[in-house]
Amino acid sequence: GTSFTTLPPVLQQNLTSLGDARAVESIVQKRLEDLIIGIASPRADERLQFARALVQDAGIDPMTPQGKARLRVYLPALRQRVLAEYAENIRVLDFAKAVDPVSALAAYSTMFRERGLSSDTSLLPAFAIDQALERLQAQGTSGPGSLRRLAIVGPGLDVANKDHGYDFYPQQTIQPFALIDSVLRLGLATPDDLVVTTLDVSPRVNQHIQSARDEARAGNGYTLHLPLDDGERWNPDLMAYWRRFGGRIGRNVEPRSPPSSAGKINVRGVQVSPAAAASIVPRDLNIVFERLDGLAAAERFDLVVATNVLVYYDVFEQGLALINIAAMLRPGGVFLSNTPIPPLGPMMLSARYATIVHSDRQRDFVFAYHRQ
């Protein structure tokens, strides 16, 4: 992050500009001290408040000298665990790629099965779904006004962007608003006849969305910040998406300015209309073990979206999730995910996958299934 310190984040993209290994380690250690100070005195910073709650749950009192000393061991240990996990993921994927593409896809689809669920999100999955919807429309799978009831499994909460550490704006959810904007832009839905249900196990995510809904009912909009690193070579289609985002659900507003330590960033601010924010209904639900029971035919979903969610489960759990999703979809309904899952029972893979290019170093795949 950049909100708790004036030092730059240490990223793969800026390592060479920070100096040699000793200089980089010095920055990391100083950032650690700044983070400990922030955790001990979070003030109104919701992210630091969350970090403080986490360390207190681990039995560490950040207000005492002994607690600060424990944090100097605890936080670097977490960092080392994360680095080791990433190294192991790369090793497994590289090995699978050397065997065959099918093995690589299987390894990718369950990569995080031993990791705790993450709520992080960004603009990139929203762009991937937008492009997939555009292709489904071109194929005739989804027609004008055909999408009335939509569901998002794991809508996400942008606590801190994992690629760049952006945290200079309030925590936000992106995908529910992005999905509404996309289906309205493509003419797949009409604003007066659209309801979006979010399905999540995280109380923090659900409460955030409910608060936005409550504010909307009081006549207040929801402000989104859309940052893009100026140094990344983005796909022109992604840049066009970034520029038009929110055109059907809100208006442009002045965004918060990033600190100089965050580097060169292009930022757009969009204020979502109260009507669009009020159309989102959060539900506490674990998609592996639960479904919304008793849905009448007219209440079943036309479209369900799950990006960067099912990758946290093994193949068996993914199969259970797919059964629950199928039970909530209307016949002909579509399920979009960037995690490949072997089709089960009533679900059929509509298209092998769509490759969505974000930049010269980032891409995604979207798989489309439909309920027979």
Side-chain angles (χ1 to χ4, degrees):
T2 57
S3 62
F4 63 86
T5 181
T6 59
L7 293 166
V10 179
L11 308 169
Q12 189 68 39
Q13 303 92 299
N14 70 349
L15 272 180
T16 56
S17 65
L18 297 179
D20 59 18
R22 183 178 299 178
V24 170
E25 185 58 28
S26 175
I27 292 174
V28 169
Q29 290 303 318
K30 290 175 182 176
R31 283 176 58 86
L32 173 64
E33 290 301 317
D34 288 345
L35 179 57
I36 291 172
I37 292 170
I39 290 174
S41 182
R43 297 186 175 87
D45 190 308
E46 55 190 346
R47 293 176 172 88
L48 290 176
Q49 290 172 354
F50 177 51
R52 179 174 175 141
L54 283 177
V55 301
Q56 287 176 329
D57 285 347
I60 300 173
D61 183 357
M63 297 293 292
T64 66
Q66 296 86 351
K68 289 182 173 68
R70 287 186 63 188
L71 281 179
R72 293 187 184 97
V73 176
Y74 178 74
L75 294 175
L78 293 181
R79 181 187 65 176
Q80 289 306 116
R81 191 194 74 186
V82 170
L83 291 174
E85 284 181 357
Y86 272 94
E88 176 63 12
N89 289 339
I90 292 172
R91 186 193 68 79
V92 170
L93 285 177
D94 286 347
F95 176 79
K97 288 176 184 176
V99 176
D100 62 75
V102 175
S103 297
L105 205 56
Y108 163 77
S109 69
T110 58
M111 186 189 304
F112 298 153
R113 64 189 179 277
E114 295 180 1
R115 181 187 294 187
L117 292 173
S118 171
S119 69
D120 70 290
T121 187
S122 73
L123 191 70
L124 303 189
F127 169 67
I129 293 299
D130 179 85
Q131 296 295 287
L133 287 171
E134 201 168 81
R135 297 182 190 192
L136 288 175
Q137 183 187 48
Q139 296 166 4
T141 303
S142 297
S146 62
L147 304 182
R148 296 174 51 254
R149 292 181 55 80
L150 316 181
I152 301 173
V153 181
L157 187 62
D158 183 8
V159 179
N161 180 284
K162 287 198 297 189
D163 278 339
H164 303 282
Y166 304 144
D167 62 352
F168 57 88
Y169 46 81
Q171 293 181 109
Q172 61 183 14
T173 187
I174 298 174
Q175 193 163 65
F177 302 112
L179 185 59
I180 295 172
D181 194 55
S182 291
V183 296
L184 293 180
R185 178 183 71 85
L186 295 169
L188 299 174
T190 56
D192 297 332
D193 195 29
L194 181 63
V195 177
V196 176
T197 302
T198 59
L199 310 172
D200 207 294
V201 296
S202 168
R204 295 182 67 241
V205 173
N206 293 332
Q207 183 55 52
H208 181 91
I209 296 173
Q210 183 59 49
S211 296
R213 181 174 166 82
D214 293 341
E215 286 291 316
R217 287 171 167 173
N220 301 316
Y222 184 97
T223 301
L224 283 167
H225 284 72
L226 308 173
L228 273 187
D229 177 38
D230 195 39
E232 191 94 23
R233 286 178 287 193
W234 299 108
N235 176 0
D237 290 339
L238 174 67
M239 291 298 300
Y241 174 76
W242 176 77
R243 293 188 189 98
R244 70 169 181 259
F245 184 102
R248 301 305 174 107
I249 59 171
R251 60 184 179 87
N252 292 333
V253 293
E254 192 67 27
R256 288 190 184 182
S257 299
S260 58
S261 60
K264 294 182 179 179
I265 308 173
N266 296 312
V267 187
R268 280 194 62 218
V270 175
Q271 187 172 70
V272 178
S273 71
S279 69
I280 303 170
V281 181
R283 298 292 300 268
D284 178 13
L285 185 139
N286 184 330
I287 196 62
V288 173
F289 303 111
E290 299 173 297
R291 67 183 70 161
L292 297 178
D293 285 322
L295 293 178
E299 296 174 323
R300 292 189 179 185
F301 298 115
D302 305 303
L303 173 70
V304 176
V305 172
T307 57
N308 301 332
V309 173
L310 299 178
V311 69
Y312 288 91
Y313 299 103
D314 62 29
V315 173
F316 177 67
E317 292 168 326
Q318 290 174 354
L320 294 177
L322 195 59
I323 290 171
N324 285 326
I325 290 168
M328 296 187 292
L329 272 171
R330 66 164 174 80
V334 177
F335 170 51
L336 295 177
S337 177
N338 58 353
T339 303
I341 309 168
L344 293 170
M347 299 298 290
M348 189 171 76
L349 191 62
S350 313
R352 184 164 177 265
Y353 61 80
T355 303
I356 311 297
V357 177
H358 299 311
S359 70
D360 60 341
R361 70 181 188 90
Q362 298 184 72
R363 64 183 57 209
D364 209 342
F365 305 98
V366 178
F367 298 81
Y369 305 81
H370 73 265
R371 175 81 154 82
Q372 297 187 74

